[in-house]
Amino acid sequence: MSVTAVVGAQWGDEGKGRVVDYLADDAQLVIRYGGGNNAGHTVVNPHGHFKLHLIPSGIFHPGTRNLLGNGVVINPPALVTELDGLAAAGFDGDNLFISDRAHVVMPYHVLLDHLDERERGSAKIGTTSRGIGPAYVDKVARRGIRIVDLMEPDVFRARLAATIPRVRRLALGYADDEMADAIAEATDESLIADAYLAAGERLRRHVVDGQALVDEALERGERILLEGQLGTMRDIDWGIYPYVTSSSPIPGGASLGAGLPAVKIDRVLGVVKAYTTAVGSGPLPTELEDVDGERLRERGEEYGTSTGRARRCGWYDAVAVRFSVRLAGYSSVALTKLDVLDGFERIRLAAAYRDPTDGREWTTVPASTSVYERLEPVYEDVDGWLADTTGCRTWSDLPAGARAYVERLEALAGVPISHVSVGPERAQMIVR
Ligand code: GDP
Ligand code: IMO
Ligand code: MG
């Protein structure tokens, strides 16, 4: 038996979906433990090129069960659409399970996400507009609606009726006239009930007591993967607050959101991109707004999987990764997208930050966003290897310069790099 958490160590989009698809060949259960359809996990395998938002990335292995854990927030119509997409590719979804304790993302959560962002103006978070924050707010405020409620139409209707007047008051409080139609639609009780109960019926066959499923898997000694959403730097507690999501991507969130005792997690694999990207606002010390940044974006195809937004790109930030290592306790790291650096003559990495106001050197991430905004990277320069790594299949196939870069990242992170990915496909994973 082994339980491995696969966790994003940067600003998200590190390649978690790709790593989970790769590892799931050997796993009997994959559990998404947090977030919702703000995620965009890309999987490229012999069946095609897929962008998963809610469905766990082990879905393409027929012998692997996939659970949406209690910590996930689920938009039922969006999940039905995603299942339809998979059905069109020949996957029936029989191996998908949904925890009855997961919370439901409602149309008014999406509306409130939009209104909150408008209210923030230039200080907006740049959310994915999927209603994730407001759904978690309702969960914590103890007025959320759960999948188990959706399974009982009378209960669902009653909870909806109890909620709508409050939401309408709230929305009308800070919207202007042009939003009137959107508010009316997102708080239309019968419209919501029809759409959600219909989606609920479609999903019914997948809904289970998630904890019981996990418990059985543990009893049988199965191999389990816990699939993270986003990355440490957007963690609600540890990320660059307030430019964060509303859940806990770090392994502490995995036990809670999967329904599995923390003590059972015996391996944590950090997923780290060989450079840095972020979608949305907030500090990003190594961000490049020059030709190198543009090259990273083009070579790495750095456009958001969920929203299509151009990702902000920059050099590798060893301080942020080291911060994540301390919080997550990675057993080892899977380094992705090394091939994207193939064409660079000079590669930079930030080993520390410096505060230009007092010259102080920083080797960790400050709590203060305004301090973090002004920190500048202290770079080390590395010679590029100027060779194509996409065909490399073993560690020794890699050019010496690429190996030296990986070894330098390893030394700075303080944990072994066990996997190196040189392309999006299953075969393009080097195991050291
Ligand atoms: P996730 O959210 O962490 O699952 O990552 P995303 O799927 O949002 O973004 C990762 C992107 O990089 C996807 O388009 C992947 O297909 C792609 N990708 C993953 N690993 C590699 C790699 O090693 N090399 C290249 N070139 N692309 C990769
Ligand atoms: P995966 O799982 C990259 C970012 C948004 C925004 C902040 C809060 O594919 O790595 P939210 O909609 O969660 O309230 O937005 O977090 N964000 C992501 N960035 N990858 C993701 O998911 C993201 N999910 C949310 O851009 O800055
Ligand atoms: Mg993504």
Side-chain angles (χ1 to χ4, degrees):
M1 180 190 80
S2 77
V3 179
T4 301
V6 179
V7 175
Q10 294 156 311
W11 276 258
D13 301 329
E14 297 89 350
K16 298 173 292 292
R18 178 253 189 287
V19 169
V20 169
D21 172 65
Y22 172 81
L23 295 176
D25 194 28
D26 208 20
Q28 287 78 49
L29 177 62
V30 177
I31 312 173
R32 260 286 300 273
Y33 60 80
N37 61 337
N38 50 349
H41 293 184
T42 313
V43 172
V44 181
N45 61 26
H47 310 289
H49 186 133
F50 302 92
K51 293 174 184 217
L52 301 169
H53 301 289
L54 278 161
I55 295 176
S57 302
I59 198 76
F60 304 103
H61 299 273
T64 306
R65 279 166 301 145
N66 289 265
L67 173 67
L68 285 170
N70 53 286
V72 177
V73 288
I74 299 175
N75 182 318
L79 180 54
V80 167
T81 303
E82 208 173 320
L83 274 166
D84 286 346
L86 280 188
F91 292 89
D92 55 21
D94 281 352
N95 56 340
L96 177 74
F97 299 86
I98 302 168
S99 166
D100 51 6
R101 284 181 166 80
H103 278 247
V104 175
V105 178
M106 305 295 288
Y108 50 79
H109 291 138
V110 179
L111 171 79
L112 292 172
D113 198 351
H114 177 72
L115 291 175
D116 283 343
E117 283 285 80
R118 268 180 28 142
E119 186 85 349
R120 293 183 188 111
S122 62
K124 71 173 198 253
I125 295 168
T127 71
T128 57
S129 313
R130 299 293 190 269
I132 304 301
Y136 279 113
V137 166
D138 275 357
K139 172 178 176 174
V140 175
R142 297 160 296 182
R143 56 175 177 243
I145 296 179
R146 297 185 298 167
I147 291 290
V148 70
D149 304 321
L150 188 63
M151 295 298 103
E152 291 182 75
D154 290 345
V155 174
F156 182 77
R157 284 182 200 280
R159 307 231 353 122
L160 193 59
T163 301
I164 289 288
R166 190 193 60 81
V167 175
R168 210 174 273 150
R169 275 197 312 275
L170 184 68
L172 289 171
Y174 65 158
D176 47 35
D177 289 349
E178 80 192 45
M179 294 297 296
D181 288 349
I183 293 173
E185 192 178 327
T187 57
D188 184 323
E189 233 175 280
S190 69
L191 211 69
I192 298 174
D194 288 351
Y196 273 56
L197 289 172
E201 284 316 308
R202 284 283 309 278
L203 298 176
R204 184 177 292 280
R205 73 185 181 103
H206 303 281
V207 175
V208 295
D209 175 345
Q211 204 278 324
L213 186 93
V214 172
D215 207 43
E216 279 164 24
L218 288 171
E219 281 289 319
R220 284 199 291 262
E222 294 184 354
R223 272 190 289 274
I224 301 175
L225 295 176
L226 310 177
E227 178 174 359
Q229 196 264 321
L230 249 177
T232 314
M233 297 304 281
R234 301 256 194 226
D235 183 277
I236 181 71
D237 281 84
W238 293 102
I240 44 174
Y241 198 89
Y243 301 102
V244 294
T245 194
S246 300
S247 64
S248 301
I250 64 170
S255 158
L256 206 62
L260 176 135
V263 71
K264 300 285 186 192
I265 301 176
D266 39 29
R267 188 161 74 116
V268 182
L269 184 63
V271 187
V272 174
K273 200 179 272 192
Y275 50 97
T276 300
T277 64
V279 198
S281 323
L284 191 67
T286 61
E287 181 169 17
L288 295 168
E289 282 163 298
D290 61 5
V291 59
D292 282 335
E294 197 48 46
R295 258 179 105 192
L296 286 173
R297 187 171 305 111
E298 292 314 315
R299 286 188 57 85
E301 297 176 43
E302 298 294 354
Y303 296 90
T305 309
S306 276
T307 58
R309 289 181 287 178
R311 292 178 182 148
R312 301 161 66 193
C313 296
W315 297 120
Y316 185 82
D317 185 332
V319 183
V321 172
R322 181 73 195 134
F323 180 64
S324 180
V325 166
R326 286 198 299 271
L327 288 166
Y330 300 121
S331 318
S332 71
V333 158
L335 186 72
T336 61
K337 304 192 91 160
L338 185 68
D339 56 296
V340 174
L341 299 176
D342 283 353
F344 285 85
E345 271 177 27
R346 178 202 61 172
I347 299 166
R348 314 194 84 180
L349 54 91
Y353 306 136
R354 184 173 294 118
D355 187 338
T357 64
D358 58 8
R360 176 178 166 191
E361 188 167 282
W362 283 78
T363 53
T364 189
V365 175
S368 160
T369 305
S370 58
V371 170
Y372 201 23
E373 289 278 10
R374 67 169 188 254
L375 297 187
E376 294 170 350
V378 179
Y379 282 123
E380 277 179 26
D381 287 353
V382 176
D383 287 335
W385 45 89
L386 297 174
D388 181 4
T389 59
T390 57
C392 296
R393 293 294 175 268
T394 65
W395 176 245
S396 56
D397 287 348
L398 286 172
R403 276 181 279 149
Y405 181 68
V406 175
E407 281 167 352
R408 183 65 190 133
L409 301 195
E410 187 171 64
L412 288 167
V415 277
I417 294 179
S418 54
H419 297 73
V420 179
S421 168
V422 290
E425 293 179 24
R426 279 182 187 165
Q428 290 175 301
M429 182 72 94
I430 295 170
V431 183
R432 279 174 86 192

